Amino acid sequence: MPAAATPDRLVRAVEMMGLGPADRVLEIGCGRGAAVALVCERLAGGTITAIDRSHTATAAAKERNAAAVAAGTAVLHTTALEDAAFEDGAFDRVFAVNVNLFWVRSPARELGLISRWLAPGGRLHLFWQAPGEAKAAEIAVKVPPAVTAEGFHVETVAASPLVHVQARRS
């Protein structure tokens, strides 16, 4: 059976992050691993760690990215963000695509964890493919204050065609 086409939102998100070949990346909510595969294509010496709550999703992601997992370029864990345990400063980039917790409620706890896990100067990238301009605008207004409240410096807010909030760890 042929692999499913990679969603355009994931292609755009990975392009927008401007990853370096040696970056240490964390993806929150990796699903079936499509973005993991895209990130691995850009790495040479870097790594991606990806988490998802769903065992089914991470199993599919491991299968999809079997060569990268075997090479140690990709590491996948079945865990919720709030239950994950990583070393302080372990990542240069942290990203999530369509993970609603960052705008539907206070993400203070999760952003506190991410802040610890990011290396100094590391960047957080939050993306959404919103269903319409009004929802995109709502997300673009709600997320930056929540991110700033947890000590991040918001560098970019874009609402079209993909909502993107980029913030640097202070």
Side-chain angles (χ1 to χ4, degrees), residues 65-150:
N65 295 285
V69 170
T73 303
V75 177
L76 295 107
H77 300 285
T78 303
T79 187
L81 172 60
E82 61 272 14
D83 296 330
F86 299 111
E87 291 184 24
D88 291 359
F91 303 104
D92 304 302
R93 307 280 179 151
V94 174
F95 78 101
V97 179
N98 288 344
V99 176
N100 290 333
L101 75 88
F102 294 104
W103 74 273
V104 298
R105 63 172 175 79
S106 170
R109 179 177 177 201
E110 292 83 357
L111 288 169
L113 292 170
I114 292 167
S115 180
R116 285 192 9 238
W117 299 335
L118 272 171
R123 289 192 167 57
L124 170 64
H125 297 269
L126 302 173
F127 299 96
W128 290 271
Q129 184 176 20
E133 290 180 30
K135 187 58 72 179
E138 178 184 357
I139 294 168
V141 166
K142 285 184 173 180
V143 174
V147 170
T148 301
E150 296 309 315

Side-chain angles (χ1 to χ4, degrees), residues 19-90:
L19 296 173
D23 278 344
R24 299 165 302 152
V25 181
L26 172 64
E27 181 183 10
I28 299 163
C30 68
R32 301 178 68 77
V36 171
L38 294 170
V39 169
C40 285
E41 290 173 3
R42 295 171 180 268
L43 298 177
T47 58
I48 181 165
T49 301
I51 62 174
D52 199 288
R53 293 175 177 267
S54 166
H55 175 73
T56 302
T58 54
K62 286 176 184 176
E63 183 177 327
R64 179 181 199 145
N65 295 285
V69 170
T73 303
V75 177
L76 295 107
H77 300 285
T78 303
T79 187
L81 172 60
E82 61 272 14
D83 296 330
F86 299 111
E87 291 184 24
D88 291 359

Side-chain angles (χ1 to χ4, degrees), residues 159-170:
S160 180
L162 189 65
V163 178
H164 176 211
V165 175
Q166 174 182 304
R168 182 182 75 247
R169 178 178 172 224
S170 300

